[in-house]
Amino acid sequence: MIDRAAQAAGAACAAAPISRTHPDSGPDPAPNRGAPADLPALVREIRAWGSELGFDSVRIADVDLSHAEAGLQRWLAQGYHGDMDYMANHGLKRARPAELVPGTVRAIVARMPYVPGADAPGWRQRELARLDDAGTANISLYARGRDYHKVLRNRLQQLAARIEAAIGPFGYRVFTDSAPVMEVALAAQGGLGWRGKHTLLLDRDGGSMFFLGEILVDVPFPPDPPGEAHCGSCHRCIDVCPTQAILAPYQLDARRCISYLTIEHKGAIPEALRAPMGNRVYGCDDCQLACPWNKFAHRATLPDFDVRNGFDAPDMVELFLWSEDEFNRRLEGSPIRRIGHERWLRNLAVGLGNGLRAATDPALAQRMRAALAARLADASPLVREHIEWALAQQAGA
């Protein structure tokens, strides 16, 4: 899961029993099925099939996450999940996959890189430079292409089908940011990497710019060893966070996280956090761009994650002037569409206000003011509040 705010503990939706009719499902468990004779050999095949399907690493995780339960409870008790009420649903099932899907004994955990394949060396420096471009809207790298939920779910389902063809019917359920599962903890348990100080999964050979998905299974595959941490004394991710959302190593207050504010949060963005948002209108990659391990980030191998709508450097004014129909049409198949047109305008109004304060080109500032003023009359109360704030910003303030 790539929304940092949600990935801190794993995103959630209502659990459902394993069923072929459920969109995140596999066949019903077969309790009388004998285990394949050579599970290690099958695991090697699973890794190879995963590679063919676009995953750059596939591992087997033991599903005992009892070590993560206390941390989850503390995070929720401190209110760091903000208004993501779904994080508190289902109790400790989030840390207990075998309770979420009875019969589960292992998880096949997989990751898929999303940095657009066309990006040449130096992509991190270019991304950081765009943060200083007053007229450009900054959209998180993961959201510039197709909705990852659909891509990963389809590929994981294909992987499960290959396993079924090899061993016959077995109990499984496919997830990708779609159930109360602690994805980062489960992935770390299976050796896909370790939880970094910014709370995201990190790997020495692949950085952190990847999606996570898992298949909960009733087959006792031999588990891989957990990942070992390699952050050392580095704290660049903490230092670079624009809103100081990373309170300390491994402690994220989602209520301050720009990913949360622009994606998960439904109300007004707290005024004190608007200026630090800069031109980040959907998500935030700063902690990942600052991480030294991301010099090893893998490029996406699937065309699904190629940039759409010019989202690598879009004109902020043009995006703000999209009608709701244009928003829905242009963003069909995009993860951005789920926030809706109103929150899109809210985020862009903040970006335009920050652009007005930073703009050195009078013509650009005039375009921004004209766009904001044009929407003021028919804006919803939520959007109007942010437009009025934006229009009050002064260059050089």
Side-chain angles (χ1 to χ4, degrees):
M1 149 184 336
I2 299 310
D3 175 352
R4 269 178 24 92
Q7 196 180 55
C13 70
I18 291 177
S19 164
R20 279 192 182 277
T21 62
H22 191 274
D24 285 334
S25 68
D28 293 332
N32 297 321
R33 182 198 67 247
D38 192 349
L39 287 176
L42 179 56
V43 168
R44 289 192 292 272
E45 287 192 276
I46 291 171
R47 296 197 209 283
W49 296 333
S51 179
E52 292 172 9
L53 290 167
F55 297 101
D56 69 347
S57 188
V58 178
R59 295 286 185 270
I60 307 298
D62 182 85
V63 295
D64 180 5
L65 299 179
S66 56
H67 62 281
E69 292 184 2
L72 171 61
Q73 289 177 310
R74 282 194 303 271
W75 190 75
L76 293 170
Q78 290 166 319
Y80 289 160
H81 59 302
D83 56 16
M84 295 185 291
D85 295 336
Y86 58 81
M87 285 291 190
N89 294 340
H90 309 291
L92 289 175
K93 275 189 177 180
R94 186 177 296 278
R96 300 174 181 177
E99 291 185 14
L100 176 67
V101 181
T104 296
V105 296
R106 295 287 186 269
I108 300 172
V109 291
R111 70 183 200 210
M112 182 176 287
Y114 61 78
V115 176
D119 278 3
W123 63 273
R124 289 192 300 159
Q125 289 70 30
R126 287 193 299 279
E127 292 295 329
L128 288 168
R130 289 192 184 110
L131 296 173
D132 296 323
D133 187 340
T136 296
N138 198 278
I139 293 171
S140 187
L141 269 160
Y142 86 88
R144 297 177 187 177
R146 190 181 176 206
D147 188 343
Y148 67 96
H149 296 88
K150 298 176 182 178
V151 177
L152 264 72
R153 184 178 297 124
N154 177 269
R155 299 283 170 147
L156 289 169
Q157 193 67 45
Q158 289 183 55
L159 180 57
R162 291 196 183 190
I163 298 170
E164 186 176 49
I167 67 172
F170 71 105
Y172 72 87
R173 191 172 173 201
V174 167
F175 295 118
T176 177
D177 191 8
S178 56
V181 175
M182 297 184 72
E183 290 192 312
V184 174
L186 203 56
Q189 181 100 316
L192 279 184
W194 73 93
R195 184 185 288 274
K197 293 178 182 178
H198 48 20
T199 75
L200 299 175
L201 193 74
L202 268 174
D203 177 59
R204 286 194 298 179
D205 299 320
S208 63
M209 314 293 280
F210 45 71
F211 301 116
L212 295 176
E214 47 280 332
I215 309 174
L216 301 186
V217 301
D218 67 352
V219 181
F221 295 115
D224 289 297
E228 296 182 5
H230 295 281
C231 285
S233 60
C234 180
H235 46 81
R236 295 184 195 180
C237 60
I238 298 173
D239 295 342
V240 79
C241 181
T243 55
Q244 291 81 56
I246 308 173
L247 307 177
Y250 319 109
Q251 294 184 36
L252 175 74
D253 184 347
R255 298 169 299 182
R256 300 186 63 86
C257 176
I258 293 175
S259 286
Y260 165 83
L261 292 170
T262 57
I263 301 172
E264 299 291 340
H265 185 52
K266 297 179 177 62
I269 293 172
E271 190 164 340
L273 300 178
R274 294 176 191 175
M277 284 173 55
N279 63 352
R280 302 165 186 84
V281 302
Y282 190 92
C284 178
D285 292 328
D286 288 33
C287 63
Q288 299 190 84
L289 296 174
C291 178
W293 291 114
N294 270 321
K295 65 185 174 183
F296 302 118
H298 296 176
R299 301 295 183 272
T301 58
L302 301 182
D304 301 84
F305 305 129
D306 289 347
V307 176
R308 300 181 177 187
N309 292 296
F311 275 172
D312 49 347
D315 181 276
M316 193 148 23
V317 170
E318 290 184 7
L319 299 186
F320 189 68
L321 294 177
W322 282 0
S323 66
E324 185 168 8
D325 286 344
E326 190 171 10
F327 170 85
N328 288 326
R329 176 173 55 80
R330 285 181 176 267
L331 297 182
E332 186 174 0
S334 164
I336 299 174
R337 189 176 177 182
R338 77 180 183 91
I339 70 170
H341 190 236
E342 183 181 43
R343 276 189 273 172
W344 175 250
L345 294 179
R346 176 201 63 182
N347 297 347
L348 285 161
V350 172
L352 287 167
N354 290 326
L356 278 173
R357 194 172 52 253
T360 58
D361 179 0
L364 174 60
Q366 179 56 34
R367 283 186 69 228
M368 290 178 168
R369 287 190 179 281
L372 288 162
R375 280 214 172 271
L376 189 57
D378 61 355
S380 71
L382 174 66
V383 175
R384 184 179 301 115
E385 174 188 343
H386 293 78
I387 291 177
E388 290 172 346
W389 174 86
L391 288 169
Q393 304 310 299
Q394 300 294 325

